[in-house]
Amino acid sequence: MPYILLAITVVGAIALHLWWQRRYARLQGECARQKQSISDSQQKHDQEIMQKQAEQQALFNSMTEGVLILDPSGHVQLVNRSLQQFFDLKTDVRGQTLMEAFRLQELVELVRRIQEERAVQDHEMELPGTSGCWLQVNAAAVLDGGGVQHGSILVFHDLTRLKQLENTRQEFVANVSHELRTPLSLIKGFVETLLDGAKNDPELSTRFLQTIEKHADRLTYLIEDLLTISKLESGQIVMNLHEVNLHEEVVRVIEDLQSRASGKNVKLQNTLSPDLTAHADADRLEQVLFNLIENAIKYGREAGTIIIGGKPVADNKIEMWVQDDGPGIPPEARERVFERFYRVDRARSRETGGTGLGLSIVKHIVQAHSGEVSVKSEPGAGTTFFFTLPQSKE
Ligand code: ADP
């Protein structure tokens, strides 16, 4: 009997042990499963956060504006690619103070103002160490629902192009006013002298009236050239492209300028092959040739020779040139002669009725034909202006 009881107890203990072991194993399994699922969801959560951060960074990096985010203590939290480029940042500045990262007191001052005033601040700044790079900064405090500040965000827009356009506009207005004022004040001066008595001297009054006519003509040319430039720049002039015989175009322009050339005893030579053609706007091409040949006569030498030539070149283009044997253009002025109102010798240009816009018009017209202009000149050895046009379509 005691053996039976002992056996039952042993069997019971073993069964209990086995049951307990299985239960323990089951509990452990459940626990491990739970742990695994917690770590899985944690991993998923971390991955989602990383994915979101990567998406945010990609979004910020794709912006043309520079973005800078500061944490509540004023340390750099995020900088996008455009901002790195604006400030030429070579290292990772995250975690640094504004002063450490950018070394610009005006940015520190701007952030101090948003902390105090909480309102969006607009600020324009010139980038130090650059020649005329301007940024506009919109700075704002990052606030939570309760109005507590959690940092600052600064967005930087590149203003350089706008500033350049504004400068060009101001310069243009100043130049135009100057160009208009000079002949007008001369005309007024001569009229006053005539009224003061010079009109009674027939010889003097004829000379003064001729001078007045010359300056009135200059005003007319100036206004015509200004209108042409403004139409070309705003794309209002549509090029009427068709097959143009270049030799014949040059003949026409030479006819128009022959008396001017003869006045200076200058020879005009058309060396173009009679069958050379281009895909161009005939009227505008005449204007280009007129301006270049007229300049060659004006600025070339007395009894000189002007050669007008052309030939097919690479990329289905025709290159044309106008070559004179005049005094040439100094090296520092060569690139600038295509700028509006630029003259090497201001007095000479005025005297010859120049507006300072002729080569600028040439450049615009050639560019409207997808061509390029250039100039080669040696002081004392003449000047050659080159331009390209598209070849005629087969
Ligand atoms: P402008 O009305 O003064 O002639 P342009 O734009 O036609 O204006 O020319 C700009 C300047 O380039 C001229 O004032 C002149 O100084 C210089 N220039 C143009 N063509 C020649 C040339 N063939 N030889 C020397 N200088 C030239």
Side-chain angles (χ1 to χ4, degrees):
M1 192 63 177
Y3 290 115
I4 294 170
L5 269 177
L6 187 67
I8 291 171
T9 314
V10 169
V11 171
I14 289 169
L16 191 69
H17 175 72
L18 285 175
W19 173 80
W20 178 248
Q21 238 184 1
R22 224 175 293 142
R23 183 177 156 77
Y24 180 70
R26 215 175 32 235
L27 279 173
Q28 253 190 339
E30 248 168 54
C31 215
R33 268 197 302 282
Q34 265 176 17
K35 262 196 197 155
Q36 182 63 42
S37 102
I38 289 172
S39 107
D40 281 356
S41 65
Q42 180 67 39
Q43 228 176 339
K44 208 169 147 208
H45 182 66
D46 287 352
Q47 269 174 359
E48 274 172 10
I49 289 182
M50 271 161 59
Q51 166 102 13
K52 278 219 173 83
Q53 276 175 348
E55 278 172 13
Q56 232 173 37
Q57 190 69 42
L59 178 77
F60 281 135
N61 282 344
S62 68
M63 289 170 68
T64 46
E65 287 86 7
V67 179
L68 168 65
I69 299 179
L70 300 174
D71 69 12
S73 63
H75 290 81
V76 176
Q77 200 176 339
L78 183 142
V79 165
N80 75 343
R81 201 169 292 149
S82 293
L83 194 77
Q84 282 170 338
Q85 283 164 359
F86 287 157
F87 287 91
D88 197 21
L89 298 175
K90 300 267 188 269
T91 54
D92 187 355
V93 293
R94 280 176 300 176
Q96 296 184 2
T97 62
L98 255 188
M99 201 55 187
E100 285 166 348
F102 297 93
R103 313 217 160 271
L104 282 175
Q105 187 56 38
E106 59 182 315
L107 277 185
V108 177
E109 186 54 32
L110 183 67
V111 172
R112 192 192 57 73
R113 278 205 339 253
I114 44 174
Q115 276 163 353
E116 271 174 24
E117 299 167 26
R118 297 289 174 88
V120 176
Q121 302 284 336
D122 269 342
H123 180 71
E124 278 183 19
M125 59 187 280
E126 189 175 6
L127 272 175
T130 60
S131 49
C133 282
W134 280 84
L135 294 176
Q136 185 191 31
V137 196
N138 300 128
V142 180
L143 305 173
D144 67 9
V148 178
Q149 187 173 348
H150 281 275
S152 323
I153 179 161
L154 290 87
V155 181
F156 298 75
H157 310 265
D158 191 353
L159 281 190
T160 313
R161 177 107 187 91
L162 271 180
K163 286 267 179 200
Q164 280 167 351
L165 284 175
E166 178 58 17
N167 286 347
T168 313
R169 193 190 63 79
Q170 278 174 4
E171 224 172 84
F172 184 65
V173 171
N175 274 324
V176 171
S177 322
H178 178 78
E179 296 296 327
L180 290 172
R181 206 177 306 122
T182 314
L184 276 176
S185 52
L186 285 168
I187 290 172
K188 195 162 185 318
F190 282 109
V191 169
E192 276 169 8
T193 318
L194 281 170
L195 290 175
D196 282 349
K199 66 175 186 301
N200 301 323
D201 178 339
E203 200 189 318
L204 204 59
S205 58
T206 309
R207 202 146 49 83
F208 283 5
L209 285 169
Q210 280 166 347
T211 315
I212 289 171
E213 189 187 25
K214 189 174 102 185
H215 290 298
D217 283 347
R218 240 187 85 199
L219 279 175
T220 315
Y221 301 144
L222 181 65
I223 287 161
E224 275 170 8
D225 279 359
L226 280 172
L227 283 173
T228 308
I229 283 259
S230 122
K231 280 190 201 151
L232 282 165
E233 284 187 350
S234 63
Q236 274 179 45
I237 295 183
V238 181
M239 295 293 140
N240 178 17
L241 302 174
H242 50 85
E243 187 176 339
V244 176
N245 182 296
L246 299 173
H247 186 275
E248 286 167 17
E249 283 303 314
V250 173
V251 168
R252 264 194 284 278
V253 178
I254 286 182
E255 267 168 25
D256 289 346
L257 285 166
Q258 193 57 63
S259 67
R260 304 265 310 261
S262 307
K264 260 183 102 177
N265 208 8
V266 167
K267 261 198 254 119
L268 299 174
Q269 283 181 7
N270 181 354
T271 64
L272 280 142
S273 140
D275 52 5
L276 192 64
T277 57
H279 191 59
D281 180 318
D283 291 344
R284 297 294 156 197
L285 175 60
E286 267 181 37
Q287 201 168 0
V288 167
L289 288 166
F290 188 95
N291 287 3
L292 293 178
I293 300 171
E294 190 194 31
N295 275 355
I297 299 171
K298 271 195 310 193
Y299 303 110
R301 66 181 181 88
E302 285 271 337
T305 304
I306 295 168
I307 299 168
I308 303 108
K311 62 169 188 210
V313 287
D315 299 329
N316 294 329
K317 301 249 167 184
I318 302 284
E319 182 179 65
M320 292 191 73
W321 58 87
V322 175
Q323 181 189 349
D324 67 58
D325 50 2
I329 301 174
E332 66 281 3
R334 253 170 247 158
E335 280 312 306
R336 299 205 59 197
V337 288
F338 295 103
E339 288 174 21
R340 292 182 298 204
F341 299 115
Y342 181 83
R343 283 110 158 187
V344 181
D345 180 346
R346 200 160 274 272
R348 175 113 191 257
S349 159
R350 289 238 175 80
E351 203 186 294
T352 51
T355 60
L357 294 170
L359 289 179
S360 182
I361 291 175
V362 165
K363 187 176 174 179
H364 271 98
I365 295 177
V366 172
Q367 283 177 343
H369 283 84
S370 311
E372 281 167 22
V373 282
S374 60
V375 56
K376 278 203 185 116
S377 182
E378 286 298 323
T383 306
T384 309
F385 280 92
F386 296 89
F387 62 96
T388 54
L389 296 170
Q391 253 177 25
S392 301
K393 297 213 162 92
E394 295 300 310

